């Protein structure tokens, strides 16, 4: 990564330090050092600040200079001063973190399949197992071609960055060369990423044209990817290998055990799928009768449930399985859009949060039809309301309790995802000592009565897209952003202090 300089960020900062609600820091200044770490946060005395036509701060910047010197910095050594405050309503928000599974996530994206980007929006009337056979496996088999992989992966990573995803957990394919290429692309573009070589060797469930030749082959390919990523980013500053058995039915028992051993040997995170559909669970019970009807116990038996394990979906977990996942410290990647699209079911997120299970958000492209974590957040709120409406009679208050509010959904998209991926305390909020993984959000501020409305057309890219703010509170602005926003509202994105996306 190119060397950075100390930078000041000035304006409104909004984040979710806890599940309980948003925190808004108005007229604040944050100092980010040359390593991309937040070193101080203070009220911007003398503000609000603006740049004049000559690029000078107005009003006079001397109060800011005093803040800078208070922390041992000199004004002259600053590389840049970044203001949130254009013609619209602007604020800084942590980057999204997406959990597994963009088959090619600090919004943290905990689940996406980078390889499946070309199939986004294609699932017909399929359910999970048919969809894999009809659409997914034929698509992923093409990634033996590096030219094809480069074309897809470049667009997949760029697409997630434009939507504010600063951290993503990616499933690649069974091809080690193209998986290594995905890691190269993420590092080049500056995205924080967990890269998974997909493992699937079962002759009973995987097609002849797309599976690992053996458990030994799968293990060798995974080891090759680990070696490549560690040579690429030795300190795992941005890129981390992640052990990726596709899901239990696609793997033989020897492979699952070997992957569990590999995860322990290298202290690596694990990502896989669990309890996405009832048909899948029945298949697992047939293939692993020794698990006695517990999908979670299959993974646990093979050493794959750890504090660094992210389990995608988890819709149909039993109470004993929830307790086991909580005891092992695993996280759940909630993928509401994919769950709806494939008719898999509704994940009881509130139940998991109440049980102390870590939960993040995933887009699950291409099961999900959008790579936007903002879309995943609004879908999470929506499906929780459906679950609320389906509450059992006689359980007073049970339905209302299942609802997930805006602040909670955005917590899952940031700090929740960070916790799932072992990044808790590192990204996901604006706290001293955390790394500057952030996005600058712009919304359309509707002029007050008597003011000139210069917008040529509602929805212009330059004025905040479709999100119109009519003098709401900051909390109201965030509500509108989550429910109505898209990539047009993501003006700039930084990862570890480096600008990685700026909207043209």
């Amino acid at each position: 990564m190119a060397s950075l300089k100390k930078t000041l960020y000035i304006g409104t900062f909004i984040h979710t330090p806890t599940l309980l609600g948003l925190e808004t820091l108005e007229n604040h200044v944050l100092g980010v050092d040359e390593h991309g770490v937040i070193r101080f946060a203070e009220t911007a005395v003398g503000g609000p600040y603006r740049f004049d036509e000559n690029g000078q701060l107005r009003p006079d910047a001397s109060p800011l200079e005093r803040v800078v010197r208070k922390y041992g910095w000199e004004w002259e050594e600053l590389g840049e001063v970044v203001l949130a405050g254009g013609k619209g309503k602007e604020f800084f928000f942590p980057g999204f973190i997406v959990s597994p599974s963009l088959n090619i996530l600090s919004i943290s994206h905990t689940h996406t399949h980078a390889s499946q980007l070309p199939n986004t929006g294609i699932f017909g009337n399929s359910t999970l197992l048919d969809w894999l056979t009809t659409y997914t496996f034929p698509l992923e088999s093409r990634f033996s071609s590096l030219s094809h992989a480069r074309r897809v992966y470049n667009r997949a990573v760029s697409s997630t960055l434009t939507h504010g995803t600063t951290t993503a957990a990616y499933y690649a394919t069974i091809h080690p060369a193209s998986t290594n290429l995905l890691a190269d692309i993420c590092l080049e573009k500056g995205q924080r990423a967990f890269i998974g070589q997909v493992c699937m060797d079962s002759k009973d469930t995987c097609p002849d044209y797309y599976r690992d030749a053996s458990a030994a082959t799968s293990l060798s390919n995974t080891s090759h990817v680990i070696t490549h990523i560690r040579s690429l980013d030795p300190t795992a500053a941005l890129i981390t290998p992640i052990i990726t058995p596709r899901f239990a039915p696609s793997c033989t028992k020897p492979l699952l055990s070997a992957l569990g051993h590999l995860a322990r040997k290298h202290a690596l995170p694990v990502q896989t799928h669990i309890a996405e559909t009832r048909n899948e669970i029945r298949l697992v019970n047939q293939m692993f009768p020794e698990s006695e009807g517990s999908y979670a116990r299959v993974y646990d038996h093979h050493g794959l449930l750890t504090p660094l394990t992210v389990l995608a979906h988890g819709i149909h977990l039993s109470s004993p399985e929830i307790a086991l996942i909580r005891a092992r410290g695993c996280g759940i990647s909630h993928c509401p859009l994919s769950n709806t699209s494939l008719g898999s079911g509704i994940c009881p997120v509130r139940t998991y949060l109440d049980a102390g299970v870590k939960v993040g958000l995933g887009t699950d492209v291409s099961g999900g039809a959008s790579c936007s974590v903002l879309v995943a957040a609004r879908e999470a709120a929506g499906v929780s309301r459906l679950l609320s409406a389906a509450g059992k009679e006689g359980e007073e208050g049970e339905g209302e309790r299942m609802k997930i509010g805006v602040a909670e959904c955005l917590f899952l998209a940031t700090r929740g995802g960070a916790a799932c991926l072992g990044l808790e305390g590192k990204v996901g909020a604006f706290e001293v000592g955390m790394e500057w993984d952030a996005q600058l959000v712009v919304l359309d501020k509707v002029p007050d009565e008597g003011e000139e409305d210069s917008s040529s057309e509602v929805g212009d890219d330059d004025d905040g897209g479709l999100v119109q703010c009519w003098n709401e509170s900051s909390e109201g602005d965030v509500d509108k952003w989550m429910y109505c926003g898209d990539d047009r509202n993501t003006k700039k994105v930084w990862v570890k202090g480096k600008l990685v996306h700026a909207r043209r």
Side-chain angles (χ1 to χ4, degrees):
M1 179 180 288
S3 59
L4 302 171
K5 292 187 177 181
K6 295 181 175 70
T7 302
L8 293 186
Y9 296 89
I10 305 170
T12 297
F13 300 79
I14 301 175
H15 65 162
T16 53
T18 71
L19 263 173
L20 300 179
L22 297 166
E23 180 178 46
T24 300
L25 307 172
E26 294 185 344
N27 194 32
H28 266 60
V29 53
L30 267 64
V32 177
D33 70 14
E34 59 271 34
H35 304 293
V37 177
I38 301 171
R39 290 305 178 193
F40 60 82
E42 296 243 356
T43 301
V45 178
Y49 290 91
R50 295 288 184 271
F51 289 120
D52 64 18
E53 63 275 9
N54 298 314
Q56 300 298 312
L57 278 176
R58 290 291 179 264
D60 180 72
S62 56
L64 290 178
E65 294 183 34
R66 288 193 288 272
V67 170
V68 165
R69 293 193 177 96
K70 174 182 174 181
Y71 291 94
W73 293 9
E74 294 298 329
W75 187 261
E76 294 74 17
E77 65 181 341
L78 292 177
E80 189 178 8
V81 175
V82 180
L83 291 177
K87 66 177 182 179
K89 297 191 75 169
E90 297 186 352
F91 57 88
F92 296 103
F93 194 83
F96 293 131
I97 302 170
V98 67
S99 346
S101 138
L102 217 177
N103 288 346
I104 310 262
L105 142 223
S106 145
I107 282 183
S108 186
H109 191 169
T110 55
H111 183 69
T112 192
H113 296 263
S115 55
Q116 292 178 25
L117 182 71
N119 273 3
T120 303
I122 300 175
F123 25 74
N125 292 321
S126 298
T127 53
L128 174 65
L129 299 180
D130 291 336
W131 172 77
L132 288 171
T133 301
T134 304
Y135 299 105
T136 302
F137 292 156
L139 174 70
E140 291 189 15
S141 69
R142 297 177 60 192
F143 281 75
S144 57
S145 164
L146 282 179
S147 61
H148 176 72
R150 180 174 287 105
R151 182 168 170 246
V152 175
Y153 287 155
N154 263 314
R155 186 166 286 257
V157 176
S158 294
S159 295
T160 57
L161 283 172
T162 62
H163 284 276
T165 294
T166 52
T167 300
Y170 289 115
Y171 285 60
T173 64
I174 67 171
H175 311 100
S178 61
T179 302
N180 288 342
L181 177 62
L182 175 58
D184 296 344
I185 290 170
C186 287
L187 186 64
E188 177 187 348
K189 293 182 179 292
Q191 187 175 57
R192 195 184 300 273
F194 293 78
I195 307 294
Q197 162 80 16
V198 173
C199 299
M200 41 189 288
D201 71 330
S202 173
K203 295 181 180 179
D204 296 328
T205 56
C206 304
D208 292 341
Y209 67 86
Y210 186 59
R211 71 164 182 261
D212 295 312
S214 65
T217 298
S218 187
L219 195 65
S220 175
N221 289 343
T222 298
S223 296
H224 175 71
V225 169
I226 293 170
T227 299
H228 175 78
I229 292 176
R230 288 190 161 172
S231 67
L232 192 69
D233 188 359
T235 64
L238 288 180
I239 314 299
T240 302
I242 184 167
I243 303 299
T244 307
R246 185 176 209 108
F247 67 155
S250 69
C251 300
T252 61
K253 295 172 187 177
L255 177 56
L256 290 174
S257 291
L259 292 175
H261 174 76
L262 197 63
R264 292 191 300 275
K265 177 182 177 181
H266 294 285
L268 288 175
V270 176
Q271 61 180 355
T272 190
H273 300 76
I274 192 170
E276 186 173 355
T277 70
R278 298 192 186 282
N279 284 341
E280 169 202 2
I281 293 171
R282 281 190 284 270
L283 179 60
V284 169
N285 292 341
Q286 293 169 11
M287 295 179 67
F288 301 90
E290 67 279 5
S291 70
E292 298 179 347
S294 171
Y295 199 153
R297 284 181 62 182
V298 174
Y299 292 132
D300 193 47
H301 176 74
H302 295 285
L304 290 164
L305 293 189
T306 79
L308 294 177
T309 295
V310 184
L311 301 165
H313 303 287
I315 301 171
H316 306 289
L317 294 169
S318 66
S319 295
E321 287 178 306
I322 296 170
L324 176 59
I325 289 168
R326 168 66 179 87
R328 297 292 184 264
C330 309
I332 296 289
S333 178
H334 178 35
C335 306
L337 185 54
S338 171
N339 297 343
T340 300
S341 298
L342 294 174
S344 303
I346 301 177
C347 182
V349 172
R350 177 68 65 201
T351 298
Y352 299 158
L353 293 174
D354 288 351
V357 175
K358 298 177 292 189
V359 181
L361 288 181
T363 61
D364 196 28
V365 168
S366 62
S370 172
C371 67
S372 168
V373 180
L374 200 61
V375 170
R378 75 175 64 126
E379 290 292 324
V383 298
S384 77
R385 288 175 174 268
L386 290 177
L387 197 61
S388 168
K392 297 178 181 178
E393 293 184 14
E395 295 183 1
E396 187 175 351
E398 183 68 13
E400 284 295 314
R401 191 181 64 84
M402 301 304 287
K403 292 180 181 178
I404 307 296
V406 169
E408 292 172 307
C409 290
L410 293 175
F411 179 91
L412 301 185
T414 53
R415 298 200 83 154
C420 288
L421 292 168
L423 298 174
E424 193 169 19
K426 188 172 185 177
V427 295
F430 296 132
E431 296 178 0
V432 173
M434 286 189 169
E435 296 184 2
W436 179 252
D437 283 21
Q439 55 186 313
L440 178 58
V441 177
V442 57
L443 309 178
D444 181 12
K445 184 183 184 302
V446 177
D448 294 332
E449 288 187 34
E451 294 182 347
E452 181 182 357
D453 191 342
S454 60
S455 296
S456 60
E457 183 178 342
V458 173
D460 280 354
D461 284 353
D462 292 337
D463 62 8
L466 298 176
V467 185
Q468 300 180 37
C469 299
W470 299 74
N471 294 319
E472 292 88 0
S473 64
S474 294
E475 187 172 329
D477 293 341
V478 173
D479 287 1
K480 285 193 167 187
W481 173 52
M482 193 189 88
Y483 278 110
C484 307
D486 56 32
D487 58 316
R488 287 172 292 183
N489 303 112
T490 305
K491 187 174 182 179
K492 294 183 178 181
V493 179
W494 295 265
V495 176
K496 199 174 169 58
K498 178 184 177 182
L499 181 67
V500 294
H501 168 69
R503 187 166 182 81
R504 294 189 180 93

